[in-house]
Each structure stands twice: as structure tokens, then as C-alpha cells.
Amino acid sequence: MKVQPDYSYDNAPRFDILLVPGGLGSRTEMYNKTTIQWVKSRMDEVKIMASVCTGALILAEAGLLDGKTVTTHWNSYDRLEKDYPNQSLDNLSESSYRLMRRHVKKQKK
């Protein structure tokens, strides 16, 4: 699969919703100053800004999660708590993950 964007950060149109994805790329993009600045600049323009999984690390690096209750992929809880202490971590998803894993194991028996 190949992704070909129609816009760059410089000429992207206004969005109603900005969804910041997670995954392996988020752990490098969170240190990309251009990406972080662009995300910050869009905060006042969008109606909804949200992240999926470790995309929360990008929003945290941009300072957009300060004072908020947040969550991320269970494997990044420690990083989020240690590197971004100005938000409250809700690790409910860890409990959900463990419950789901137990359910899947029971189904396989």
C-alpha cells in the first residue's frame, strides 16, 4: 500500500476534525518539531481534536493534554506518566485489555 497525500502542512485546508493516529510512527513524529507545531497551530481551528492509541504522545508533546485525563496504549502508560506529568492518566484501557486477553484465551480452549 502506498499513501500519497494531496496536501502538505503548508497548504492543508482547514479541518473540522483532526484525528492524530498512533502506531510506530507516532513515537518518531512526537519529536518532529514541524509536526508538533502544526498540530498546536490547528488546535484553535478544529471543532474536534482527538488521538488514537499512542497518538496521545504527539498531543502531549504539543502541550495539548495538560490538565486533562488521558489514556494511551497500555505499553506507553509509563512513558506518558513520566514524560508528561501535567495530565492525569486513566489506565482503564489496561484493565479492558487484560479482560479481553482472558476472554480470547478462554475462547481458544
Side-chain angles (χ1 to χ4, degrees):
M1 175 192 273
K2 190 174 189 178
V3 176
Q4 292 281 353
D6 292 323
Y7 302 100
S8 69
Y9 289 146
D10 294 329
N11 67 357
R14 289 182 158 232
F15 302 110
D16 291 328
I17 300 170
L18 179 58
L19 182 63
V20 180
L24 293 176
S26 65
R27 274 136 19 253
T28 55
E29 285 304 302
M30 66 185 282
Y31 299 112
N32 181 331
K33 292 185 188 311
T34 302
T35 297
I36 298 304
Q37 190 56 44
W38 185 82
V39 169
K40 282 170 92 166
S41 73
R42 292 297 169 130
M43 184 61 187
D44 292 333
E45 298 176 5
V46 297
K47 293 179 183 173
I48 298 170
M49 183 177 291
S51 65
V52 175
C53 197
T54 54
L57 297 170
I58 292 173
L59 296 182
E61 182 65 24
L64 300 175
L65 300 181
D66 290 354
K68 297 190 175 4
T69 300
V70 301
T71 194
T72 187
H73 186 276
W74 63 268
N75 202 32
S76 293
Y77 287 162
D78 291 342
R79 181 181 208 170
L80 193 63
E81 270 187 318
K82 182 173 116 331
D83 293 349
Y84 307 100
N86 294 329
Q87 59 253 331
S88 176
L89 182 65
D90 178 355
N91 59 7
L92 176 62
S93 59
E94 180 176 14
S95 301
S96 300
Y97 172 78
R98 288 182 182 174
L99 285 171
M100 184 268 308
R101 294 283 296 167
R102 270 190 268 157
H103 179 71
V104 169
K105 285 179 182 177
K106 285 180 185 177
Q107 295 295 323
K108 288 182 178 180
K109 288 184 180 179

